[in-house]
Amino acid sequence: MPEPSAAPGEPAPPSPAEWSPGRRVAAGLFLFALAWAIYGVTLNAPFYYDELNVLGNGGALRLGADLRAHLLAPRVGFERYRPLYTWSLALNYAADGTAPLGYHLVGLFFHALTGAGVYLAFRRWPGGDRAAFLAGLLFAVHAIHVEPVANIAQRSGPLAGPLLLATWWLHAHGSRRAYAGALAAFFVALLTYEGVAPLPAVLFLGDHVLRRREPGALRRALGRAAGYGIPLVAYLALRGSGNAASLPAYFAGLTQREVYFAVAQFFCTEYLPGFLVGFLPLPDYALPAFLPCAPGDPRAWGCAALALAPLGVAAWAWWTRRSVVGLGVLATYLLLLPVLNLIFPLYTVGAQRFAYLPSLGVALAFGAAAAAGVGSARRGVRRLAGAGATAAILLHVAVAAHGAWSMSEPLRAHDYFLWLRPEHPTFLAGKAALLRARGDIGGALACLERAAGMGPPNFLVLTNLGEMVLAEGDRERARALFERVTQTFPAPQAAVGWVGLAELACTEEQWEEAERLCVGALGVYAWCGRALELRGRLRARIGKEEEAIELFAQANRCEPLSSAGWYDLGLIRRRRGERAEATACLGRAVAGGTMVPEAWVLLGLVLEEEGRPAEAAAAWRAVLRRRPEWKDARRNLMRVLPALGAWEEALALCRASADQDPGWLDARLCAATALDALGREPEALAELRRFLEEAAGRPEYADARYAVARQVAEREQGRAGAGGGAGADGGR
């Protein structure tokens, strides 16, 4: 790779001392290991809301592991044209199913590879190995990467990172073969994530830094940058008009001038602090975060000036000084363009996932500035630069480590998000979903009610609140919430509102109306898993099991982590006597991360029927750990524990059941059996007597009461006879 050239007659700029090959390898491995160490705790993270939907709604499962389908098939609903990204998810699913670890491993590996790649790609630039290493060091630990690394829905950034760096490195190499490789790498990067589209402009700026003094350098740089139009046109041809989505209506009702001010405000309030200190999270729903000021407000002009000032200074430094720091800042701004939906529609204005690639420019600027300061001839400058660089790295290490630790446990993550943004309805909806899964219905409702009173309508809040109030029996409010969803949001989201109305119709036994609403939802969005699952239940209700099985299978392909479809499919399989298939389906139902007691209870019954009582007991224990009030699990477990010889556990469970479920008197009989087995006959007799007292006047226990009364009488006679015999022996 060529070094920056000097003008004729000028002395060549000094070349920084190169590191030895062994030291370069050690530096790359250190950066890879450091990124792994900081973010490795995210391997323990479960799936979050986006991840629960991205496999189905993102197209990964619909298109399968066929790469050609990912490249050429049109997108529907929320699916975006990122064929290599969705293909990677499909391969993960083919290898690991829905186990989160494999997905997190891939994301973490590519992030660590990108961190090492920053050093390898920029080590021959001005500043040498030291600047490149410092750039890689900041990138590897930057706290704004928590969400892209920990959440598989954001994997497109880490996947595209090594491809972007490979393009940059090959482009700067200078040979024709390397340039052809750069074009190919850029095309593959586009197929992974459309956010790399501004890269040719960044490469043109880099050519100015490296080759400005060469004769005809500007003309050649323009020609080389224009060559990237070939892969860009090929990408657009594959993407096609049928794959493009409409721009989000974030700026509805705003003039173009007002849009620019809104974007400047968002940059100052969200991205700039994120790049500097890495605080997370940046919101997906960004419009409520805009400052409430019009173009006539001095705050708006202040935000615009703050957003444009670094751009102007960087452009001056890049043009007059061939500054790598200026190049890094300009690269950050250019790679942020897709975030503003000016090139491709990304549905959101700001989120951490979109800051992943722009942070490469931040890292490049930091590395060049820190290396220049540390390499200064003045001792005071060296000390100040070293202290500043160390403080920046340690700050990002601390923030990133805390963020990664928080993301490793769902409820802790949402509490962390809400600590940073207490008034964020999406995070409140996510916390409510977790509380609901853990059986804390009151806490979930409180979160949703609080979120419902914030800002504009939020899809997640309205749909989750509608489901919960319907489960609580408030049909009229549920109807109002679901109707609001259908009237407020675009087609794919509106389909969920239609399904909510269909579920409401089922509770009112309006079966034909429910069928009509499901068909309407599928007409709006053919890959609505909830509509397919509900329609399958309606088919099964009238005995059309084959149609129901097909509908459940389609629903599970759309939403593989949803427990409902797998549970319904397992229910039919068990009813048909297909126990092995039922076990597999129910295993998937309970593996989705949500506590669905019905699925666990049914899985235990199927396992018991297969002669696996220990595994059945484990399934029922899993329910009682999270939902101790669940009667079916407790009763089934009490029934199977004696066969396992677990008498102490059976006794404790029986006594707890007698307190929690006093109307179910079988617990008294089970407790007496356990006490007999433990050799505590007087206590067993006392339990039987209590049963007789409580069963009086209960017709359903008449037969049992008769049998127990005989047993009590026999035991009392036996005890009396044993006592009389002992007295006679003593008299003699």
Side-chain angles (χ1 to χ4, degrees), residues 672-699:
T673 304
L675 288 166
D676 276 333
L678 294 170
R680 296 156 64 178
E681 294 183 8
E683 295 178 61
L685 185 57
E687 287 289 343
L688 293 175
R689 288 174 177 155
R690 277 196 289 270
F691 171 82
L692 291 175
E693 294 172 3
E694 295 172 4
R698 300 279 297 273

Side-chain angles (χ1 to χ4, degrees), residues 38-118:
I38 295 294
Y39 290 104
V41 68
T42 62
L43 294 176
N44 301 321
F47 286 142
Y48 292 90
Y49 174 79
D50 283 351
E51 298 168 295
L52 296 177
N53 291 276
V54 71
L55 291 176
N57 293 339
L61 296 189
R62 182 176 70 85
L63 301 173
D66 182 3
L67 178 58
R68 180 182 175 86
H70 286 267
L71 290 171
L72 302 178
R75 267 46 183 178
V76 298
F78 293 119
E79 296 176 3
R80 302 170 189 174
Y81 188 70
R82 299 173 184 171
L84 295 185
Y85 159 69
T86 54
W87 184 53
S88 75
L89 293 176
L91 293 179
N92 255 132
Y93 182 79
D96 301 318
T98 56
L101 178 60
Y103 296 86
H104 290 312
L105 277 171
V106 172
L108 180 56
F109 172 80
F110 276 94
H111 170 65
L113 189 64
T114 305
V118 170

Side-chain angles (χ1 to χ4, degrees), residues 14 61 82 95 104 106-107 134 143 245 302 315 400 410 459 524 552 583 632 637 664 697 700 713:
L61 296 189
R82 299 173 184 171
H104 290 312
V106 172
L134 290 172
F459 169 71
V524 170
F552 291 144
T583 302
D632 289 343
L637 183 57
W664 191 63
E700 67 273 24

Side-chain angles (χ1 to χ4, degrees), residues 15-344:
S15 299
E18 290 192 0
W19 292 356
S20 65
R23 190 177 181 184
R24 291 198 294 269
V25 171
L29 292 176
F30 172 78
L31 293 174
F32 186 92
L34 179 63
W36 199 278
I38 295 294
Y39 290 104
V41 68
T42 62
L43 294 176
N44 301 321
F47 286 142
Y48 292 90
Y49 174 79
D50 283 351
E51 298 168 295
L52 296 177
N53 291 276
V54 71
L55 291 176
N57 293 339
L61 296 189
R62 182 176 70 85
L63 301 173
D66 182 3
L67 178 58
R68 180 182 175 86
H70 286 267
L71 290 171
L72 302 178
R75 267 46 183 178
V76 298
F78 293 119
E79 296 176 3
R80 302 170 189 174
Y81 188 70
R82 299 173 184 171
L84 295 185
Y85 159 69
T86 54
W87 184 53
S88 75
L89 293 176
L91 293 179
N92 255 132
Y93 182 79
D96 301 318
T98 56
L101 178 60
Y103 296 86
H104 290 312
L105 277 171
V106 172
L108 180 56
F109 172 80
F110 276 94
H111 170 65
L113 189 64
T114 305
V118 170
Y119 165 69
L120 298 175
F122 297 127
R123 55 169 298 271
R124 297 296 298 273
W125 281 64
D129 288 286
R130 177 186 290 165
F133 178 76
L134 290 172
L137 188 62
L138 179 67
F139 187 86
V141 303
H142 203 296
I144 210 169
H145 298 158
V146 170
E147 185 192 36
V149 175
N151 192 321
I152 70 161
Q154 332 303 343
R155 182 193 286 180
S156 52
L159 281 180
L163 295 167
L164 183 149
L165 292 171
T167 304
W168 204 329
W169 183 82
L170 290 168
H171 179 91
H173 193 276
S175 69
R176 291 185 177 181
R177 182 176 296 179
Y179 180 67
L183 296 180
F186 178 62
F187 179 63
V188 176
L190 282 170
L191 295 177
T192 305
Y193 175 41
E194 64 271 34
V196 303
L199 182 59
V202 178
L203 298 178
F204 167 74
L205 301 180
D207 280 344
H208 173 79
V209 171
L210 289 177
R211 299 181 175 86
R212 178 186 175 191
R213 301 293 187 178
E214 297 177 3
L218 181 61
R219 176 178 55 82
R220 286 197 299 273
L222 286 172
R224 283 159 59 85
Y228 288 91
I230 298 173
L232 187 57
V233 169
Y235 166 76
L236 291 174
L238 281 174
R239 181 184 178 98
S241 59
N243 288 318
S246 60
L247 286 173
Y250 287 106
F251 306 114
L254 300 182
T255 66
Q256 192 64 45
R257 183 185 180 193
E258 290 170 335
V259 168
Y260 292 143
F261 277 104
V263 169
Q265 293 166 16
F266 183 77
F267 176 84
C268 294
T269 58
E270 302 296 341
Y271 277 115
L272 191 58
F275 285 135
L276 292 177
V277 296
F279 282 138
L280 75 155
L282 297 173
D284 277 350
Y285 302 95
L287 189 57
F290 290 142
L291 296 177
C293 55
D297 192 316
R299 292 179 300 173
W301 288 99
C303 287
L306 184 59
L308 294 176
L311 183 63
V313 173
W316 172 82
W318 164 77
W319 179 254
T320 61
R321 304 282 183 175
R322 290 181 295 159
S323 167
V324 179
V325 176
L327 172 63
V329 174
L330 292 175
T332 302
Y333 275 80
L334 285 169
L335 291 172
L336 274 174
L337 284 177
V339 177
L340 309 180
N341 290 270
L342 299 178
I343 300 178
F344 300 112

